[in-house]
Amino acid sequence: MATIGNKILELESLEQIVLQKEQIDLDEQALKAVTDCFTFLTDFSKDKLIYGINTGFGPMAQYRIEDEARIQLQLNLIRSHSSGMGQLLSPLQARATLLARLNTMMRAYSGIHPHVVQLMADLINHEAYPCIYQHGGVGASGDLVQLAHLALGLIGEGNFQFRGSIVKAQVVYETLQLQPLKVHIREGLAMLNGTSSMTGIGAINVVHARKLLTGQILFSLMVNEIMEAYDDHFSEELNAVKLHKGQQTVAAAMRVISHKSKLMRKRHEHLYEKKVTESVLEDKVQEYYSLRCVPQILGPVYDTIEYTAQIITQELNSVNDNPVIDYKNANIFHGGNFHGDYVALEMDKLKIAVTKLAMLADRQLNFLLNPALNKKLPAFINAGVLGLNFGVQGMQYPAVSNVAENQTLSNPAYIHSIPNNNDNQDIVSMGTNAALLCARVIENTFEVLAVHALAIIQAISYRDIVGRLSPATRWMYDELSILAPAFVEDTPSYERLQAIKQWLMETEVGEKMKKLLGFE
C-alpha cells in the first residue's frame, strides 16, 4: 500500500501504482491540511470577489456571480468543457491522470473539500476511471478538457472505463457503493486548472522509455555478439575520454552485461599481438556505426530520459492550480502554474530521443538481414530454402514503417501555439498533445524492438552460439525464444511479434539484470 501526501511521489512509486496496480491510502497529516485549506477558503471568500468562486472564468471573469449561483457556476464549467473527442485515454493513462491530480491536490493548495481526494483514491483502488478523451486540451489553463472529463466522472456524470467495459457513471457508483462528488466552493475550477493529464501520460512515457533503453542496450550487445565484434568500442578507456554521463553509463552497462561472453573479441589478441600479413582482411577492422557507436548514440538518449524524469517528477509534485490557495499565509495568489511548457518541451525532446533509438534498432535489424553487410548470415536470416522461404523478410516492413512514422511525429508540438479563448490564452503549451504524440512514438518503438528481437533470436539460433552468450544476454534469449522460437517454415508472425511487444512493455528487464548480475 502506497501512501499519497506529505512526501515526494517518485516515478518508481508511480510505476507500482499505475502499472502494477498497487493500492493507495492518504496520509492523515496531508489530509488534515487539505481540510484546513478548504476551511480557510470558505471563511476567506465571504464578502470578497475571488476569481472562479464568484466570477466567471477566463475572458468572462469581469462578470460577478451571485452567491446562490456559485455551485451552478462550478457545474457549468465542468459540463461545458467536457467536449473531448477522438480516442479515449488508455486505462493506464487515465489511472496516471487520476493519480497525478490526486497527488497535487494532496499538497493542500487547492481549497477543495477533502471528499475530492478521498473519492479519487477510492476510484484508483477500484480501477474505475472516468472516460477521458485524447483530443481537446491545449495545455495552457491546464488540461482543461481532459480534466473536465475527469471531473465529470467525479460528479457522477458521463462514462467510466470499468472492469473492461464502458459503463455509465451511475452504475459505477452503485456497484462500488460510493457517493459522487458534491461541489462545495471551487471544486470545478480546482479540478480543471492543472497539468495532471499531460504529467500522468508523461510519467508513463518515461517509465516505458527506460524499458526501451534497457532493451536496446541488450539487443545492441547481442548483435555485437552475433558478429563476434571487438569489445573496445565500449571499453572504459575509450569512453572515459568523452565527458558525457550518458555515454559512459551506456558503455559501462555494456561492459557489465557482456561479462563472461565467449563471443566478444579482444583487439589486441587478434590484431596487435600477432603479425597481420593479409593484404585484404576478411573481417572488418572496425564495425559499422550501428554496432560500434552504441554508447555515443544511446548516451544522449539516456541523458534525455533521465532529465525528462527529473522534470516530470517535479511537475508531478508541484501545485499547478490557479489561483493558489495559500492557507498558511492566509492569501490567494493568481498566476500561471497551470501552464504546461515544462512538460511539453520534455515530451518533444523525449520523442526525438526515442525516435533515434528506434532508428538504431532499425539499422541493426537491417544489418542482420543483409548478407552483403554482415557476411555471416543468409539473406533475411532465412533458415529454409532460399527463394522458397522468406525468413524475417516480411517482418522488416512494419519496423521500417514505424520508424518512418516516428520521424514524422517527431516534429515538435511545443512550438505550435495557437491563441484561443478570445485571445485570453494567447500562448499555449500543447502539452497533452506533446505527451500523447510521445506515447505513440514510444509504442511504435516497442514494435520496432519486437521485430529486432525476433531477428536476433533467429540469428543466434542460426549461428548456433547460444552457449557462448553472456549470462545476461543468454537470459534475454531464453525469455524471448519462448515467445518466438527460431523457425524454418514460414508462418504468420503477428501473434509472436505482439507477444514480444507486450513482454518488453511489461517486464522489468532492468531489475532482472541487476539481480542476474549480482547488484542486489
Side-chain angles (χ1 to χ4, degrees):
M1 177 89 59
T3 300
I4 303 300
N6 236 20
K7 64 179 181 180
I8 295 296
L9 177 61
E10 302 288 354
L11 291 185
E12 291 75 14
S13 296
L14 179 141
E15 180 178 2
Q16 291 302 309
I17 297 167
V18 174
L19 276 69
Q20 308 304 325
K21 304 299 191 299
E22 183 178 4
Q23 298 274 293
I24 63 173
D25 63 6
L26 303 179
D27 179 83
E28 288 297 329
Q29 186 176 349
L31 197 56
K32 180 181 181 301
V34 170
T35 303
D36 290 345
C37 186
F38 171 75
T39 302
F40 160 75
L41 181 61
T42 302
D43 294 337
F44 186 84
S45 61
K46 294 175 181 175
D47 302 320
K48 294 184 181 68
L49 188 72
I50 300 176
Y51 172 74
I53 292 179
N54 51 10
T55 74
F57 302 106
M60 293 189 290
Q62 70 268 32
Y63 295 100
R64 186 173 63 84
I65 307 300
E66 298 298 332
D67 286 353
E68 59 269 21
R70 284 162 61 169
I71 302 303
Q72 190 63 47
L73 173 70
Q74 301 296 316
L75 294 172
N76 287 350
L77 177 68
I78 294 170
R79 291 165 180 157
S80 68
H81 283 64
S82 294
S83 58
M85 300 182 72
Q87 299 296 314
L88 293 175
L89 296 188
S90 71
L92 285 183
Q93 291 170 336
R95 184 176 177 87
T97 296
L98 257 174
L99 179 61
R101 198 82 202 115
L102 169 62
N103 193 61
T104 191
M105 287 190 161
M106 287 295 286
R107 294 289 308 279
Y109 286 91
S110 300
I112 44 95
H113 192 277
H115 182 217
V116 179
V117 291
Q118 187 59 64
L119 179 57
M120 285 196 285
D122 289 339
L123 292 175
I124 288 171
N125 285 338
H126 288 291
E127 299 180 36
Y129 317 122
C131 287
I132 303 172
Y133 292 86
Q134 290 186 3
H135 294 165
V138 297
S141 289
D143 300 313
L144 284 176
V145 171
Q146 282 83 9
L147 295 181
H149 281 279
L150 175 56
L152 190 69
L154 294 186
I155 64 173
E157 300 179 17
N159 296 321
F160 272 71
Q161 296 185 81
F162 183 56
R163 297 178 180 175
S165 300
I166 306 299
V167 298
K168 292 292 185 183
Q170 182 181 352
V171 174
V172 172
Y173 284 102
E174 290 174 353
T175 302
L176 300 178
Q177 296 185 327
L178 295 174
Q179 291 298 315
L181 174 66
K182 176 184 177 183
V183 173
H184 291 267
I185 188 164
R186 70 176 296 267
E187 283 77 13
L189 183 61
M191 285 302 304
L192 269 64
N193 268 187
T195 61
S196 299
S197 190
M198 67 176 81
T199 302
I201 298 166
I204 296 175
N205 289 346
V206 171
V207 169
H208 280 155
R210 283 173 166 169
K211 292 177 184 286
L212 286 171
L213 180 62
T214 301
Q216 182 53 27
I217 290 173
L218 275 158
F219 293 157
S220 295
L221 187 58
M222 293 169 90
V223 174
N224 274 277
E225 285 187 296
I226 291 166
M227 291 299 110
E228 298 184 65
Y230 295 108
D231 68 358
D232 55 344
H233 54 255
F234 52 80
S235 65
E236 182 175 7
E237 294 81 359
L238 176 81
N239 290 280
V241 297
K242 194 74 175 285
L243 303 182
H244 297 299
K245 180 181 178 181
Q247 176 178 334
Q248 294 180 0
T249 300
V250 171
M254 295 182 74
R255 291 195 298 273
V256 172
I257 293 168
S258 66
H259 183 57
K260 295 185 179 179
S261 172
K262 298 179 177 65
L263 291 162
M264 299 302 299
R265 294 192 295 171
K266 303 292 183 185
R267 185 175 299 275
H268 64 87
E269 293 177 0
H270 292 269
L271 297 179
Y272 296 166
E273 293 179 359
K274 66 178 184 180
K275 187 174 182 180
V276 178
T277 58
E278 298 93 333
S279 298
V280 179
L281 300 177
E282 184 175 342
D283 288 338
K284 292 179 72 70
V285 176
Q286 292 191 130
E287 288 78 23
Y288 284 97
Y289 285 12
S290 62
L291 278 71
R292 188 190 350 150
C293 301
V294 173
Q296 292 81 2
I297 295 169
L298 293 184
V301 176
Y302 171 89
D303 286 334
T304 301
I305 292 172
E306 293 311 308
Y307 185 75
T308 300
Q310 176 184 327
I311 295 298
I312 291 293
T313 301
Q314 290 171 355
E315 190 70 28
L316 181 64
N317 292 280
S318 294
V319 176
N320 43 62
D321 286 28
N322 181 56
V324 168
I325 315 301
D326 187 355
Y327 78 96
K328 295 177 183 178
N329 293 304
N331 209 341
I332 296 178
F333 298 95
H334 295 74
N337 279 3
F338 49 49
H339 215 279
D341 271 43
Y342 270 104
V343 177
L345 179 56
E346 291 310 309
M347 289 298 98
D348 279 352
K349 289 160 58 180
L350 183 61
K351 74 180 179 183
I352 290 170
V354 171
T355 292
K356 190 60 178 282
L357 183 152
M359 291 166 62
L360 175 63
D362 167 73
R363 290 300 84 200
Q364 291 175 351
L365 169 65
N366 187 71
F367 177 82
L368 292 176
L369 301 186
N370 191 337
L373 299 177
N374 64 64
K375 301 186 184 300
K376 293 182 184 291
L377 299 165
F380 307 111
I381 327 177
N382 185 353
V385 178
L386 295 180
L388 177 64
N389 296 110
F390 291 89
V392 184
Q393 180 178 346
M395 304 172 211
Q396 186 178 17
Y397 304 129
V400 171
S401 174
N402 275 325
V403 171
E405 183 171 272
N406 282 1
Q407 290 169 328
T408 300
L409 294 175
S410 289
N411 286 298
Y414 174 68
I415 58 171
H416 284 288
S417 173
I418 300 177
N420 64 115
N421 194 232
N422 281 2
D423 279 344
N424 173 54
Q425 297 181 15
D426 57 352
I427 183 165
V428 300
S429 74
M430 298 298 177
T432 308
N433 285 3
L436 287 166
L437 288 169
C438 183
R440 184 167 168 182
V441 166
I442 286 170
E443 183 161 3
N444 286 350
T445 303
F446 275 113
E447 295 183 1
V448 175
L449 261 61
V451 178
H452 193 22
L454 189 148
I456 288 171
I457 298 305
Q458 185 77 354
I460 289 172
S461 175
Y462 181 87
R463 293 212 61 216
D464 193 21
I465 55 174
V466 175
R468 298 168 64 194
L469 295 170
S470 77
T473 54
R474 173 62 187 267
W475 173 83
M476 191 68 144
Y477 173 87
D478 289 342
E479 291 288 317
L480 293 176
S481 60
I482 294 172
L483 304 175
F487 62 94
V488 175
E489 298 300 327
D490 297 318
T491 57
S493 58
Y494 61 94
E495 291 180 336
R496 286 176 287 168
L497 292 173
Q498 181 62 28
I500 297 174
K501 174 188 172 183
Q502 288 303 122
W503 188 92
L504 291 171
M505 293 184 75
E506 296 171 1
T507 305
E508 296 295 334
V509 175
E511 295 304 312
K512 298 282 187 182
M513 286 292 103
K514 288 179 182 178
K515 293 178 181 178
L516 184 66
L517 298 168
F519 288 98
E520 287 191 353

